[in-house]
Amino acid sequence: MRIRALAIRIIRQFVRDKRTLALLFLAPLLILTLMKLVFNGQAVEPQIGTLNMPPQLVDRLEQAGAAIITFREAADAASAIANGSLDAVLTLDAGKPAIQLEGSDPAMNKTVLMLLQRTLQEASPNVQAAVSYLHGSEEMTSFDSFGPVLVGFFSFFFVFMLAGVSFLRERTSGTLERLLATPIRRYEVVAGYLSGFGLFTLLQAALIAWFAIDILGLYMDGSIWLVLLINLLLSLTALTLGTLLSSYAGSEFQIIQFIPLVVVPQVFFSGLFSLEAMTPWLQKLSYAMPLYYGADAMRSIMLRGAGWGSIQTDVYVLLGFSTVFALLNVAALRKHRAI
Amino acid sequence: MTLPPHVEPASPQLPVVELNEITRIFGKRSILESVSLRVEQGELFGLLGPSGSGKTTLIKVITGIDRADRGTVRMLGTPMPQLRMLQRFGYMAQSDALYSELTAKQNLLFFASLYGLSGARRKKRIEESMAVVDLLDHLDKPVSAYSGGMRRRLSLAIALLHEPALLVLDEPTVGIDPVLRQSIWKELLAMRSRGTTIILTTHVMDEADKCDRLGLIRDGRLTAIDTPEALKAKTGSTSIEDAFIVLGGGVRA
């Protein structure tokens, strides 16, 4: 009954606080939309200058999607690439094709090289490999690939911040002291917070997942229920971690200081950047990061259509994190009341 | 005088609060040192001392929110701290611990539920408590629209909700205008005459005169406990203020 009273009070406070509601529900959608727009732009058309190249090769390059400018003089081509209007210059050097890249943009370098490789392969079709996809498809964009991680991350980040700040406010306004002068048990305080916030967390997790999949058209191969489950568990971890850390913060500003310490490192280990490329001991750090498990499960479900069997470890680990943080929170409340 | 039915019958010889040689240390500084005192049934007991003297810490030790490093605390015979004893007293903290986004009624509902009140009884107690502090017409206003004095009174109403036999009030009249202070005192005296035991802290000397007994506290030590009249007589002074200075050693720390 006390847990319910606390949960109802939190819900009432939330409903009256329109700004926080907007931050919780609209901000993640806005950022996801921006992310999609930024990463899903039009396919870029590399500007390639050619010098003395056979016309059929130039045609094939154009068909492959390059904008071709033909030069007669090597000096003209050299000055064009120097002033940045070309991404590459293709010449024949002693009968063999030679390419000079502008080189300042690694993504463009890759695009040009891939395009060139494809065109040259087409010249000898008998060695071309047949391509098939186990997961995903030819149309899959980079947004599709890291979208699942972002969906999990935003659930985590916004809940972490809000939970931390509101629990702290309870302390700085003196209401926690007042609350603890009633016969409420410490676990009831934590459980009340979990259920009051949990409701909004659940709504937020569902909203983010629905928006990313149905509105932004994020690639989705698995069960929406599993996505919701993982999203909810991530938010729950954020909720318990946020309230726990707020016990060690003296002001709202100090909660913000936890973000570079606690949230940003998790992003590095969440799979947005390749973990395989890291030094082995550094890779092991990822095992201590809740977001790593959440992101791993989200990717497995959404990109590889994984079922319960292959994500259950992630589920248990996330549940474990939440439980440990909640228990530590109950213990930390002892700082404020002797019993 | 017959007690109203809500006052818990306790054996008259049992003190409401009994502190025995309480010491509380934070770091290397002792905030309370060997404090012993008894508060009897139906008393209005005042703790008088300058700010920083340890009044709030003493209140927290009495209520079991904080634990003493040495010594024993008993409330109604039960050794403290004890979770179930938190049900037995009404508490008003020094700061108005209210949820300002919510209405007064929502605040009251919340705290009433924490004390285990529900249904018709909860509704009745909310109305009775708000009538005591004369805020019945402002039940549905958000607390953010309340004045400072109204907030203080709402805090008092919350402390009264579960009809406790003991009220523990930390600076109940701090920052309140004289008219309102008088009306709060009128309420406190009325509650005492109905049999409620009240422990409060203050650093306002003329309020101290209204208490049945006073504990003078200075740098974490109780320098004297007695009725205001006896304190004045003992020190040969005409006001509590003079008595306090004489008993405190005459020099301000």
Side-chain angles (χ1 to χ4, degrees):
Chain A
M1 174 164 147
R2 296 196 193 94
I3 298 176
R4 214 187 69 183
L6 192 52
I8 290 176
R9 193 212 82 207
I10 289 169
I11 292 167
R12 281 190 174 139
Q13 278 180 299
F14 247 115
V15 171
R16 284 183 178 264
D17 188 356
K18 302 284 182 287
R19 222 185 136 108
T20 306
L21 277 184
L23 179 71
L24 193 62
F25 291 122
L26 298 182
L29 306 192
L30 179 74
I31 296 181
L32 273 175
T33 311
L34 278 176
M35 285 283 214
K36 181 184 160 94
L37 292 178
V38 168
F39 288 98
N40 264 19
Q42 299 296 307
V44 277
E45 198 176 54
Q47 308 276 325
I48 300 180
T50 55
L51 197 66
N52 305 326
M53 294 299 289
Q56 64 267 44
L57 187 70
V58 173
D59 283 349
R60 271 210 297 271
L61 276 174
E62 261 177 335
Q63 274 162 26
I68 302 293
I69 301 154
T70 322
F71 291 92
R72 294 233 160 70
E73 300 293 328
D76 292 345
S79 70
I81 195 169
N83 69 27
S85 59
L86 287 182
D87 295 311
V89 175
L90 191 61
T91 49
L92 272 179
D93 185 17
K96 274 161 74 183
I99 182 121
Q100 184 188 31
L101 294 167
E102 197 273 333
S104 64
D105 178 1
M108 185 52 82
N109 296 347
K110 248 180 219 163
T111 314
V112 172
L113 287 174
M114 270 172 62
L115 191 120
L116 212 64
Q117 218 168 25
R118 233 182 311 151
T119 339
L120 294 176
Q121 257 177 11
E122 271 170 29
S124 45
N126 47 336
V127 292
Q128 202 172 0
V131 178
S132 70
Y133 291 82
L134 174 60
H135 300 295
S137 72
E138 204 175 353
E139 283 100 56
M140 204 162 96
T141 62
S142 51
F143 180 69
D144 284 321
S145 137
F146 61 68
V149 179
L150 291 181
V151 169
F153 173 71
F154 288 127
S155 302
F156 186 89
F157 180 67
F158 286 99
V159 171
F160 174 83
M161 229 165 57
L162 284 180
V165 170
S166 22
F167 201 65
L168 184 91
R169 216 166 41 178
E170 181 107 52
R171 229 176 68 212
T172 50
S173 68
T175 47
L176 183 67
E177 186 202 324
R178 181 67 191 84
L179 192 63
L180 289 173
T182 73
I184 195 167
R185 290 182 168 79
R186 280 178 289 136
Y187 84 83
E188 288 174 326
V189 176
V190 176
Y193 253 80
L194 283 186
S195 35
F197 261 96
L199 180 79
F200 290 94
T201 311
L202 184 69
L203 287 177
Q204 190 217 35
L207 183 70
I208 293 181
W210 164 78
F211 185 81
I213 294 164
D214 282 355
I215 305 292
L216 296 184
L218 201 60
Y219 185 88
M220 169 70 171
D221 203 19
S223 149
I224 180 77
W225 298 109
L226 287 181
V227 168
L228 284 182
L229 174 73
I230 296 295
N231 230 1
L232 179 67
L233 285 176
L234 262 178
S235 316
L236 212 60
T237 316
L239 183 56
T240 47
L241 182 62
T243 48
L244 175 64
L245 288 182
S246 76
S247 304
Y248 301 96
S251 64
E252 274 89 345
F253 181 52
Q254 289 186 359
I255 295 274
I256 305 298
Q257 290 169 353
F258 276 124
I259 292 174
L261 287 176
V262 175
V263 178
V264 174
Q266 300 209 51
V267 176
F268 293 138
F269 291 89
S270 63
L272 281 185
F273 307 96
S274 168
L275 281 176
E276 277 95 29
M278 281 181 200
T279 333
W281 67 263
L282 200 61
Q283 275 181 37
K284 292 215 169 60
L285 268 182
S286 63
Y287 296 134
M289 315 234 169
L291 204 53
Y292 164 78
Y293 298 94
D296 178 61
M298 290 293 269
R299 281 197 137 159
S300 304
I301 300 164
M302 292 182 70
L303 299 182
R304 294 189 278 275
W308 169 253
S310 41
I311 60 153
Q312 55 172 329
T313 318
D314 293 321
V315 169
Y316 297 142
V317 173
L318 285 176
L319 271 178
F321 271 119
S322 303
T323 315
V324 169
F325 293 150
L327 290 177
L328 286 175
N329 214 336
V330 174
L333 278 178
R334 213 174 233 288
K335 279 207 310 197
H336 305 289
R337 188 175 74 185
I339 34 161
Chain B
M1 190 191 82
T2 52
L3 294 178
H6 65 262
V7 174
E8 301 186 31
S11 44
Q13 72 275 15
L14 209 61
V16 177
V17 169
E18 190 178 14
L19 303 183
N20 194 9
E21 294 287 308
I22 291 299
T23 298
R24 181 73 177 105
I25 302 164
F26 286 121
K28 279 185 181 160
R29 228 164 72 83
S30 57
I31 302 297
L32 295 174
E33 235 179 283
S34 309
V35 174
S36 299
L37 68 88
R38 278 165 71 108
V39 178
E40 308 292 342
Q41 291 281 319
E43 240 189 330
L44 201 173
F45 188 89
L47 281 165
L48 180 68
S51 47
S53 56
K55 293 184 305 258
T56 297
T57 307
L58 187 56
I59 288 287
K60 286 189 173 175
V61 169
I62 289 174
T63 52
I65 293 170
D66 199 4
R67 191 192 289 272
D69 293 297
R70 278 195 294 278
T72 55
V73 184
R74 280 169 184 276
M75 184 185 284
L76 298 162
T78 310
M80 298 290 275
Q82 185 83 246
L83 189 70
R84 68 186 162 82
M85 292 311 284
L86 290 167
Q87 181 76 36
R88 302 292 289 274
F89 63 87
Y91 177 65
M92 183 173 163
Q94 213 175 90
S95 64
D96 290 311
L98 301 165
Y99 300 98
S100 54
E101 312 86 320
L102 302 182
T103 65
K105 191 173 182 179
Q106 289 171 332
N107 272 281
L108 289 156
L109 280 171
F110 172 59
F111 283 106
S113 307
L114 292 185
Y115 283 108
L117 300 175
S118 60
R121 183 165 144 74
R122 182 170 67 185
K123 192 166 176 286
K124 183 167 158 269
R125 281 308 304 158
I126 287 177
E127 277 167 12
E128 286 172 355
S129 306
M130 286 299 263
V132 166
V133 296
D134 200 19
L135 281 176
L136 211 45
D137 296 337
H138 305 282
L139 255 180
D140 293 312
K141 266 193 200 164
V143 172
S144 52
Y146 267 36
S147 70
M150 287 163 84
R151 285 175 201 217
R152 213 72 200 119
R153 273 143 72 202
L154 178 57
S155 298
L156 182 60
I158 289 172
L160 304 178
L161 275 173
H162 63 295
E163 297 181 90
L166 168 64
L167 274 180
V168 181
L169 314 172
D170 197 0
E171 305 258 10
T173 57
V174 72
I176 281 190
D177 64 81
V179 179
L180 191 61
R181 203 160 75 194
Q182 215 160 41
S183 88
I184 285 189
W185 267 96
K186 210 182 83 203
E187 281 321 319
L188 294 181
L189 294 172
M191 275 183 272
R192 182 195 53 178
S193 67
R194 289 198 292 267
T196 308
T197 310
I198 300 171
I199 300 175
L200 57 84
T201 68
T202 181
H203 58 252
V204 184
M205 302 291 171
D206 68 317
E207 286 188 358
D209 259 327
K210 299 191 180 105
C211 298
D212 294 327
R213 278 199 309 147
L214 275 178
L216 304 191
I217 183 166
R218 185 94 182 236
D219 296 330
R221 289 169 190 277
L222 265 186
T223 52
I225 312 177
D226 219 324
T227 62
E229 291 70 34
L231 286 173
K232 280 185 269 189
K234 209 188 290 179
T235 54
S237 27
T238 51
S239 70
I240 287 293
E241 191 154 9
D242 293 337
F244 184 78
I245 289 171
V246 171
L247 289 162
V251 276
R252 285 199 80 92

